[in-house]
Amino acid sequence: MAYENYEPVIGLEVHVQLQTDAKIFSSDATAFGADPNTQVDPISLGHPGTLPVLNKKVVEYALRLGLATQCSIASRSVFARKHYFYPDLPKGYQISQYDTPICYDGYVEIFPGEDDETNSTDEQESRRIGLTRIHMEEDAGKSVHDPDEDTTRLDFNRCGVPLLEMVTEPDLRSPRGAYLFLQRLRQLVRYLGISDGNMEEGSLRCDANVSVRPRGREAFGTRTELKNMNSMRHVEQALDYEITRQIAAAERGDSITQQTLLWDAEAKATRPMRSKEEAHDYRYMPDPDLVEVAVDDEMIESVRASLPELPRARRQRFVDEVGLPPYDAGVLTEEQAVADYFEETLQQLYKRTKGGDTDAQAKVVSNFVMTEVMRVLNEQDLSIDELPVGPERLAQLAYLRLQDKVSSNGAQEVFEVMLEEHEKSAGKIADERDLIQVSDPDAIKPVVNEVLGDHPEKVETYLDGKEGLLGFFIGQVMQRFDGSPDPELVRSLLREQLDARRDEVDVEQ
């Protein structure tokens, strides 16, 4: 059952829930977490005599995603009715797009080399995952099953919530590749401002079609569809399980049944849900209540002009122009808000330094953001906008560190105080806590000589080759000095004095 003897073939169907104030065909609210059946109206419930009206914002968001993924844009696209019967679909059909999607023939690039945090080079091999289509559609309601009471309740709030469905070509060849694709897509929709991409809340939902074939064979095997995966990690785990299952069946000579499977995250296994539907099962037909969607060149160019700098381009600019290492640039551009915070902090620091080594300045700010800032965001579950330390105040602290006015430990202490004392500057906090480093050699030398004079035996041991004692001497100077001496200057002065004593011993001998 060796993986290397078989090639997985994977295609994804991803639903992106859009961040709009109203539903796709009605004015209902779309807020997550509302009480059941409080965000419904006659249109979303499919009452007779009601007519849908397309939300223009949905078209704009579809174009944003299509242009960002290099898709061709259809000048005319059509909504269709997708018929199936389920309790949480009150109309008995879903309004979607079938043979004329609004976006088609695009791609998303993934970078498998960047999956390894130890890979710090900027030469990353990319792989393009083709996109068959991106189309607009409405969401269905939600069935809430209670196994203890053996009941199912229906919440229709989600009916009519706008979705974009992205269908990939069968270009993925590993579960990890699928994970990286979803990670990239999540980042992209957040940058575009069209979705929060939260899989746990259902804003990003993924179904996967997977088959296996002996390596070297061109024909695809029989595929199965995987559902019920509510995290990227679950997608990866479900695909790995199903690929292993299919390979085992192939090795035994068993056939694969084309079917839909549910992923059981607790059991870490798939179980059959139903036989896999084909397009004819849904009896698609053009929706007679909706006109064609017409998109002209002026609208396309208007949306293109509104696109933000996308994450990959921003990452490259941070490397080429700002001077950051590729790893730092990747971490900082993962979230748009964090990248914005970094850039604003750096601009504030530039105003203070008025020149100098801009690469060093960028690295100082990067270190603060990747360590202290992101640590607090994760520990306290904050967004960057909720952080008490804004870009201007962080730039104050970065300037102190850049000028060696405070030590690394001192800077961490100042940052912690800045989180609580919102009105105080970094400099004032450092001064009040006696954290401003003394960088005057004449002030530090007497303490250095005093420490060496008090420990002649250890000095002799050091001179005999046990240079690890240097750390002991540094600690003694730091303790005795009235204030905060620059540790690097202390180290330098100690080495200077100890080398001089070694020279004296050599002369005497």
Side-chain angles (χ1 to χ4, degrees):
M1 295 193 299
Y3 226 76
E4 58 266 21
N5 295 330
Y6 291 85
E7 181 179 53
V9 178
I10 301 167
L12 302 180
E13 299 172 11
V14 185
H15 289 87
V16 179
Q17 182 175 310
L18 302 181
Q19 285 182 308
T20 56
D21 294 331
K23 293 185 177 179
I24 186 170
F25 299 119
S26 70
S27 58
D28 275 348
T30 60
F32 176 80
D35 290 337
N37 299 309
T38 58
Q39 295 182 161
V40 295
D41 71 357
I43 294 175
S44 59
L45 291 176
H47 288 188
T50 58
L51 290 173
V53 178
L54 178 59
N55 183 342
K56 185 178 180 181
K57 183 67 73 175
V58 176
V59 179
E60 178 190 331
Y61 283 3
L63 294 178
R64 287 174 77 82
L65 184 56
L67 291 172
T69 54
Q70 314 304 315
C71 283
S72 298
I73 306 299
S75 59
R76 291 187 175 276
S77 60
V78 176
F79 281 104
R81 293 183 178 182
K82 178 181 179 180
H83 294 87
Y84 64 95
F85 296 97
Y86 206 71
D88 56 22
L89 189 70
K91 293 196 296 288
Y93 63 86
Q94 177 190 27
I95 302 178
S96 181
Q97 292 186 302
Y98 177 46
D99 53 358
T100 54
I102 190 168
C103 307
Y104 59 95
D105 291 347
Y107 63 85
V108 170
E109 280 189 298
I110 62 174
F111 298 83
E114 290 176 5
D115 192 36
D116 179 4
E117 292 188 2
T118 65
N119 189 343
S120 60
T121 66
D122 195 35
E123 297 299 322
Q124 301 286 356
E125 183 179 352
S126 67
R127 180 169 185 181
R128 288 185 177 181
I129 308 303
L131 302 180
T132 307
R133 58 192 286 141
I134 299 173
H135 66 256
M136 301 175 286
E137 66 181 24
E138 64 177 345
D139 206 349
K142 183 178 181 181
S143 298
V144 183
H145 305 292
D146 188 337
D148 295 332
E149 297 183 9
D150 194 26
T151 60
T152 297
R153 295 179 173 85
L154 299 175
D155 180 4
F156 293 110
N157 280 351
R158 216 167 60 182
C159 286
V161 168
L163 303 174
L164 295 179
E165 181 173 358
M166 173 183 285
V167 181
T168 77
E169 293 290 318
D171 290 344
L172 292 159
R173 294 293 179 266
S174 70
R176 194 59 184 169
Y179 179 97
L180 294 175
F181 177 90
L182 291 171
Q183 191 177 55
R184 178 90 171 94
L185 178 60
R186 176 180 176 273
Q187 182 189 44
L188 189 58
V189 298
R190 288 189 172 202
Y191 262 74
L192 293 171
I194 65 174
S195 175
D196 62 22
N198 190 324
M199 288 194 77
E200 288 73 18
E201 294 182 359
S203 301
L204 200 65
R205 282 169 260 159
C206 177
D207 299 335
N209 292 285
V210 57
S211 63
V212 299
R213 61 186 177 187
R215 291 197 178 274
R217 181 183 294 178
E218 290 189 15
F220 293 153
T222 302
R223 75 183 189 275
T224 56
E225 182 181 28
L226 302 179
K227 288 182 173 289
N228 197 40
M229 302 171 291
N230 62 1
S231 75
M232 290 182 231
R233 191 68 64 195
H234 285 172
V235 172
E236 185 176 19
Q237 291 171 347
L239 282 168
D240 187 58
Y241 177 89
E242 180 60 16
I243 290 166
T244 302
R245 186 188 74 83
Q246 290 190 21
I247 291 174
E251 290 286 299
R252 293 192 304 268
D254 296 342
S255 61
I256 300 296
T257 301
Q258 183 169 319
Q259 60 184 330
T260 298
L261 303 170
L262 290 179
W263 172 245
D264 186 330
E266 290 188 6
K268 296 193 181 304
T270 56
R271 52 186 173 84
M273 177 182 177
R274 59 175 182 261
S275 61
K276 180 79 174 74
E277 291 94 344
E278 298 291 351
H280 64 263
D281 294 319
Y282 293 117
R283 296 176 293 117
Y284 282 99
M285 60 168 282
D287 193 304
D289 292 334
L290 289 161
V291 298
E292 291 183 338
V293 179
V295 177
D296 57 23
D297 291 343
E298 182 180 353
M299 184 175 186
I300 292 172
E301 292 310 312
S302 174
V303 172
R304 193 191 307 277
S306 72
L307 293 179
E309 183 180 28
L310 297 180
R312 188 68 193 176
R314 194 171 200 180
R315 177 191 181 279
Q316 198 60 47
R317 178 170 63 81
F318 278 12
V319 173
D320 294 341
E321 299 179 18
V322 179
L324 287 177
Y327 176 75
D328 292 37
V331 172
L332 294 172
T333 56
E334 181 62 30
E335 295 286 348
Q336 186 179 36
V338 172
D340 290 344
Y341 180 91
F342 165 78
E343 287 211 84
E344 178 59 28
T345 302
L346 189 57
Q347 290 302 317
Q348 293 291 334
L349 181 58
Y350 286 162
K351 291 179 182 179
R352 291 175 175 274
T353 58
K354 298 178 181 178
D357 186 346
T358 54
D359 287 3
Q361 294 169 37
K363 183 59 179 169
V364 166
V365 175
S366 173
N367 287 344
F368 274 118
V369 175
M370 290 198 304
T371 55
E372 301 307 314
V373 170
M374 297 184 79
R375 173 183 61 79
V376 171
L377 297 183
N378 291 330
E379 289 177 354
Q380 301 185 23
D381 194 24
L382 300 176
S383 69
I384 196 77
D385 294 333
E386 297 171 317
L387 186 73
V389 181
E392 184 175 357
R393 296 181 74 215
L394 187 65
Q396 297 169 2
L397 181 55
Y399 183 73
L400 292 178
R401 186 73 192 99
L402 192 67
Q403 300 296 314
D404 285 328
K405 296 287 183 67
V406 293
S407 66
S408 176
N409 290 337
Q412 292 176 11
E413 184 176 338
V414 171
F415 184 81
E416 290 299 321
V417 177
M418 293 173 78
L419 293 171
E420 302 298 329
E421 301 185 15
H422 302 172
E423 303 302 321
K424 288 185 179 179
S425 68
K428 185 173 180 60
I429 293 170
D431 190 49
E432 288 178 349
R433 294 184 170 249
D434 202 19
L435 295 172
I436 298 295
Q437 290 189 147
V438 176
S439 300
D440 180 5
D442 292 336
I444 300 173
K445 276 181 182 178
V447 181
V448 167
N449 291 329
E450 179 183 305
V451 167
L452 295 179
D454 288 350
H455 299 89
E457 300 86 356
K458 284 187 168 53
V459 170
E460 186 175 342
T461 303
Y462 175 91
L463 297 178
D464 285 341
K466 193 174 181 180
E467 296 193 357
L469 282 170
L470 183 63
F472 167 78
F473 294 133
I474 292 173
Q476 290 295 307
V477 173
M478 300 296 287
Q479 288 179 16
R480 294 192 188 192
F481 194 88
D482 185 15
S484 298
D486 182 344
E488 290 304 314
L489 181 56
V490 171
R491 179 186 298 274
S492 175
L493 292 173
L494 279 165
R495 284 191 181 278
E496 180 182 303
Q497 291 298 315
L498 289 165
D499 288 347
R501 296 189 184 204
R502 179 181 283 115
D503 291 340
E504 290 174 5
V505 171
D506 292 342
V507 169
E508 290 175 1
Q509 292 176 348

